[in-house]
Amino acid sequence: MTTSRAESQNSQYNRRRSNTAQSILRPTPVVPLKYGDFKILNSWVHDTKDDTRETHSVIFNQSWWPGVSEGDLLRVKGSNSDDPDFAFLFIVLKDDGCSKPQLQISIPKPIAETFRLRNNSEVTVTKVDKHTCCAEYVEFVFQDQYLGRNEMWRLGKDLVGQCIYTDQQITFVGNIAAKIQNIYIDGKPVSSACVTSSTKAIYRSLSAKMTIFIQVCRELWEFSGDGERYYEKIVHSFLPALFSKWREAGTNHTVTIVLISRVFYEESEIAYAAGPLRQDDYGKWYKDFFKVITDLEVIHKWKPTLVSLKDSFWDFQRDILLTHHYHQSTLDAATIGPPAQVRLIGRISFAHDGPVLEAINLALNPTETHYIDRSLSLTGTTMILITPGTGYFRVSKDLLRLTTTRLLDQGFVIDLVSLAKPPLHSSPVFSFRSAEPKQENDGKYGPQTMDPLWGIVDEGISAEQKTFWWEPFWVSVTFWDKQMDLPFRPDRFIGRAKMHQIQMLGLLELDVLSSIEVPFLPEPPEPPSSTPPQDLLEDAPPSQQDADRFDIGIFALRPESKMNIARDSIASSTSNSTTGMTYRNTDKRNSHRNSVMLGRIDPIEESPKRVHVDLPPEDPASKGRGVVTFSGVSKSPSQSSMMSLRSNLSANSSSKTATGTQTTPTRPSLASKLAPSWLFNPFRSGPSEPQTSPVSASASAMSHTPTPTKEKLAPKSTPRTSSPIRMPAASKPAVAQVSHSPLVHHSPLPMAIRNAPTTRTSTGRTFEDDSLMPHRPSYVRRSPVWTPPRDEATFGKRRSAASIHAPIFLSSSPGVICNPSQPHSSVPHSESSLARRWQHQFPQVLTKHEIKWKAMVIPLCLPLTVEHFPTTAELESLYDVFSYDFVVDPGEMRSFLVKPPVVRGNTDDLRRAWALAVMRGMAAVRLAQGFQFVLGRPAKGDEAEQRMALRRTKSLLTEEELPKPIGASIVLQSPDGPVYLSMTNEIHRISYTGEAIQVRRYLRRMPPSKPFLYQCLMWPKLGGGYTELSTQFETHGLENYGWNRLDMLVAGYEHNFNESLRYWRTRFIVIPSAELPVHATGANGENLDDEETRILGIEKLAEQFTKLRWQPAEEKAAHPAPPVRLLPTTLGPALSVRDASLMDQLDQIHAAGPLRKKVKSEREIGDMSLAAIAKAMREEDGVPIKDYHWHRSRYPNSFIGYDLVSWFVREFRDVSTRSQATEWAVKLYEQGLFEHCRGYHSFLDGHYYYRLKGEYSVAMTPKGWFRRYTTDDPPRGSYYPGSVARPKNPSPRRHKKRIILSQSMVIDIDPSKKSDQAESVILHHDIIHNPGTAFHFELQWIGTTARCIEDLIRQWGRTIDRYGLKLVEAYVTQISDIRERNAFQSCFPMRLAVPPPIVMDIEKRVPEGTQTTHYFEYAILKKFGYIVDVEAASLYPEQVDVIYSYRRSPYKYSQFVHRSGMGFVQVLGGSQGFVFLTNRLMGSGRMAKNKDARPAAVAEQIRIELHRFVSDKKTLLDFYEDELAVIRQYQSPEEPPPLAI
């Protein structure tokens, strides 16, 4: 390395040479540094307390290393570090000279701590190339916050151009938002890198909503190969491992655990098994059972949960097979008569028949409306499904299609945990029954119509049903097969086929193993080519080398392979390992088997199969066609099972489709010689049968089944008698032949895979030719259905470029049924294009046998970007286009969702700036709804990519119009060029034309999806048994979303949210807390009591509302909004509307507002006498003087302090502010003009009652305070009993007065302007407030930063806390409707052991203003610390129509909330009593004072207290007696009739 002159000035003793004139004047040429140049410097460490940008960056004194220039990238490594990659990067800033000459390099403390650098230590600084240090992926983790997709986009944009390092805390909007967990370059983790515009961000949440489904099926109680039962694997190994991983990662997930099960019933049992019986595609009757173990709980100590889970496993069969029917019969006994003897009926299903998709859809219902009751401390949702099966499930086709659409819309993946060993077929896989899709000629839906899952089929009864296989790309599979004594080793062979019943018979002692043979698997097909390779078409049998090579190719573990076929996880070695049983010499193998088996035990027949493979017809053309002839006839079943598939399958397909077409024999391929016929027979995951179909035992054919009569049809084949699989001409299963075998008497009937006929009439094409070498497309290019497991980053990248762009939406080719035992490496275009929604989630390739801990511990959020974009041909033919535009007119745009841009320039510049701001807002709200930015494809494409690009340019979309951005952070840097956003079946193109913003929506034509009606039995967490649940699954796609309206809202031409916009909303209530308030003092230092303190607290909250109110600048200058005023009362919500004086005040608030100054205000208060002021107060538009009512006390001819101050400001020229007016009022009070009604206070500006004194007092016209709407009221003391709601008016709309009891406004929640966007929410709040009940407000927003809302709520909570008030997050809808949104949540019923007494004329026996409906129920709740939240709609007077702007539907029952905020109760009335619901919205973070308290434990305690009380007859009777005594004591002004109960 060269040493420059400037460097040589620094001698070894750190003394600079003197600056003589000669040395100063001579210019010293500075040699620029080359990559790799390094220097050892002395480092300091500085603190980052003062929050400036400079203190967070590295301070570098450039004079110590001449040649360094601004913008260079330097790597800093501690001299004591052994790892060369353990270093951080920084970019050299502009050299402004260093204030401390002796400083060489100073490192911020957080970086020094991460990289273990000490103060005054040596570091090596090296110049590096920026291009080699650009981060490809950055992984962020965050906790206890809701990070919206709009925030993720802006957070990523903020980091572009910065150097980052692992474990770095990232601040956003003034708060620590996330931590960097990993940085990847070319798939390798690094410790530091530069963020560029193409860096992709991955977001993982430590606080997510987790749903764990545990499948309870017959296998659960069986033993796995290592001697452990499957349910023990769940409770003893998997869940404890998962929970300990959560603990290590410090997660705070909200967890729901549900047991799911299906029970089948015989025809004879249906009448007895009453309830929600359903029938599956195979005609079998079943019921589905769900039991909730934990319900939305944050749990850190899991032991009690695991114990309760184990108890549930023990009780499960009894509960659903016996106890459930006992409950049913006892319920029927009330109507039918005494219950008959309870019977034990039904059988729990096998794993493959479980209600898996149904469970997923039940969990999708609440997440689909995640924007309602939005938690501000949770981000992300994930589901884990634990099954003892292998990942194979039989499902309904309609439900599979619906589930796929819903999961794509919501954008998350299911984690499947299989407790079995990886099966010998691809997993997970679904099978469904369906007719062949119809051929559509109009091309409306494109080639997708030929797809078995998405295609349109004949619904008629005559349509022939077939079984299709489909591999879900939205399931990530993990095989949990932990054996402590046998850790995984690549060279150890472990048998993976279940042989449960053989093991249970104890036959293994008789050495059956040596006779069980599994035939070779076929060779994987070569990539498609136009001409078949010659060596694949030879007729000779496979040689020894071919077979060996084939085995190694299939079974050997290839570490570098990226194909995640399940077989890779446990290799079978072809050396002298345990597979040595499968000898190559077939004769030797036969003799060995016969010697073992003959005369020792009865032969074992496989369980019966329904094999739908027809025999070829008896015609000369097909005789012997395509049959492999082996030299030397052998009786080996493996050889006979290697018989070519063509002998049956292709003959069948050609006879169906190509009737009359001349067929020519085709030579067989190598794969056909090695392809066993069992591949096309049913494979199963049931425990009671082998998992790979043929466990062929010798001679089983001879002893059990006669030789098929049509053997002559295949004269050249090996003798049929040795075949392990019967192929009868009829498609009936041969049950009778083996009915005595104990292997099969209770195994489920396996599903048959019929081969589908090809839909073309090609000559001489056979089944395997199609699968090996797809023909050139005539109608449509067909892609193979079988897909590799989709757990790696590339998802569908392995396909050839040609198939990437094929306009196909297929998951299988017509005529080729997906075979899960023979997966292909190519992925159908339809699935890869849909699965690419998750493409940018995986920086590293995952393999199938890995346990996906990361996904289950820190779930991923949907990426912001996607690369898939349909071709122009697809856009033209398969999409409908809708477009609209709106003019950008900065003068008219008053948007609270967009920050007005600050621009200096002409009108065009202003318009461009506004267009950019609005387009960013439009993109942000689309991201929030689940859209992703479409990126341009990487430039390193192959020729096919370029050809596609050329083909595109000749059509509607020009080269300029294609998606170009390389990363989300450079989208919308300028308004030029369109931006594309895509979702499952929708693409939006937003562009600016120079005057207007244009939106073009491409909507994919899809067959309409029908809602799926579903009934099941649900046992909620707080339930006492199974209750029926009916629900409906449907997609809530965005096809009919009001995009036009939303864009108008963003632009500022619209100002109100509409229900169709799916805006985020959350309701809060302010309630008196259990703790007494810290006593406050009034303005003059006077002490206030508890009630007055709480009213003051609510007024402080109203002041906060006023302070944050947002108005457009011009409107604010011209007409500033009046301050928020709340009206206190002591009446309940329903009775307050009868208070005349309160309603007058309400009308005044809805009018222009009391503080508007009179235009001709001539009076001056300083010139007026007390008498003149008193006279002016009594004038028509003076101070409202009337009768007021507070806590059963009347205050006649009084006025409110607040009204007097407002009147002073409005009326007098020399009073301009409320504080001035208050000063004048205090003077007048002291001069004796008026007095406080109760004599407690001097004058205070607030809700305090005053009256004029002595000579100034004149009685006003008397008005009843409580008789506002009494014209049609029934007379008091009528015959309506006290606990029954009054009947509604038969003509509800007649003479109804509308009373609006809430106000709404836009508030700016970022007054300090920390955020880079407008942060506004719409606030709805009550106007009337009773300090003894709840005060409500609701926040609604779209695209606002949730962290700003969270900070605001915390600030408000702290403000009112000292006034004895508590801020609680509450459900938007009434609690009795909770089950409609979340099937796993349910209210706990609390029936009253003794119905409350009915007191006639109760209205006359209680003080005026008391709520008499449900009088005793209200009294019980009051006793236990509950306060009114919302009154039932039926309790309001019939003559009024009460409107709250934030309530969508009236409440059927009155709702109460506990003072702790942890529980809600609704009053059903009568013996029905109450329903209770735990407030799951109250996270532990919100319990500000007691951080250790578990909210769920508090809620459980208050529930048990109330339940114990209402269930105890004696206690209830005593309580009723006490309440009746209170009623008897009350003396009414008018004499009531004698008390009658």
Side-chain angles (χ1 to χ4, degrees), residues 1168-1179 1183 1185 1196-1199 1204 1227-1235 1250-1260:
M1168 293 175 71
S1169 66
L1170 293 184
I1173 293 172
K1175 187 183 175 193
M1177 285 171 68
R1178 291 194 297 268
E1179 285 172 3
V1183 180
I1185 298 176
N1197 298 319
S1198 52
F1199 59 90
L1204 181 69
K1227 278 183 196 169
L1228 296 173
Y1229 172 85
E1230 288 167 353
Q1231 289 169 20
L1233 177 65
F1234 53 83
E1235 63 184 354
Y1250 298 92
R1251 57 179 172 233
L1252 294 169
K1253 267 171 87 172
E1255 63 185 277
Y1256 310 113
S1257 173
V1258 177
M1260 304 293 285

Side-chain angles (χ1 to χ4, degrees), residues 108-173:
K109 197 173 182 181
I111 300 181
E113 286 172 352
T114 305
F115 292 93
R116 298 194 286 278
L117 301 174
R118 291 193 306 277
N119 193 20
N120 217 8
S121 62
E122 286 190 337
V123 292
T124 307
V125 183
T126 313
K127 181 175 177 179
V128 290
D129 184 1
K130 263 188 193 171
H131 298 294
T132 61
C133 299
C134 295
E136 189 181 4
Y137 286 91
V138 181
E139 198 170 84
F140 298 96
V141 294
F142 54 93
Q143 188 165 21
D144 292 337
Q145 59 180 311
Y146 171 50
L147 200 63
R149 291 168 57 72
N150 173 24
E151 287 97 285
M152 292 176 185
W153 176 38
R154 288 156 48 220
L155 178 64
K157 265 201 302 196
D158 271 5
L159 291 176
V160 172
Q162 292 186 32
C163 291
I164 54 169
Y165 58 91
T166 49
D167 294 337
Q168 181 180 348
Q169 304 270 14
I170 302 297
T171 54
F172 180 62
V173 195

Side-chain angles (χ1 to χ4, degrees), residues 176-233:
I176 291 174
K179 190 174 91 168
I180 294 175
Q181 192 175 44
N182 287 303
I183 306 165
Y184 295 94
I185 298 177
D186 294 332
K188 297 190 184 79
V190 294
S191 57
S192 180
C194 277
V195 180
T196 65
S197 48
S198 64
T199 301
K200 294 171 186 67
I202 301 168
Y203 291 92
R204 291 181 176 274
S205 171
L206 287 161
S207 307
K209 202 168 147 196
M210 287 273 194
T211 309
I212 301 177
F213 292 115
I214 301 174
Q215 193 186 358
V216 180
C217 50
R218 229 182 288 184
E219 291 96 325
L220 198 69
W221 289 277
E222 288 173 358
F223 292 98
S224 65
D226 56 0
E228 202 175 16
R229 288 179 190 258
Y230 284 110
Y231 79 81
E232 291 171 340
K233 275 185 181 290

Side-chain angles (χ1 to χ4, degrees), residues 426-553:
S426 56
S427 172
V429 66
F430 292 139
S431 74
F432 57 86
R433 305 275 292 160
S434 172
E436 277 279 9
K438 289 190 295 189
Q439 176 97 29
E440 292 283 339
N441 294 324
D442 58 1
K444 183 180 171 190
Y445 301 117
Q448 138 197 354
T449 50
M450 294 306 296
D451 179 86
L453 180 64
W454 301 99
I456 299 169
V457 297
D458 280 319
E459 299 292 344
I461 304 166
S462 59
E464 189 189 358
Q465 297 287 305
K466 304 189 171 183
T467 297
F468 292 93
W469 308 95
W470 195 78
E471 292 188 49
F473 50 82
W474 38 264
V475 175
S476 162
V477 70
T478 289
F479 290 100
W480 178 262
D481 183 37
K482 201 163 188 179
Q483 290 171 274
M484 304 310 289
D485 54 338
L486 281 177
F488 173 75
R489 275 218 328 260
D491 61 339
R492 175 184 288 128
F493 174 76
I494 299 171
R496 278 190 272 166
K498 280 190 203 164
M499 293 176 281
H500 175 72
Q501 289 172 335
I502 297 179
Q503 293 168 349
M504 293 303 105
L505 287 172
L507 293 177
L508 296 186
E509 298 166 18
L510 301 174
D511 196 16
V512 175
L513 274 180
S514 52
S515 67
I516 294 173
E517 295 166 353
V518 179
F520 300 138
L521 283 167
E523 189 167 332
E526 294 295 318
S529 61
S530 52
T531 55
Q534 198 53 40
D535 60 344
L536 283 181
L537 299 176
E538 290 173 1
D539 265 323
S543 67
Q544 176 77 28
Q545 290 81 8
D546 281 347
D548 280 343
R549 195 164 58 246
F550 177 79
D551 271 16
I552 288 168

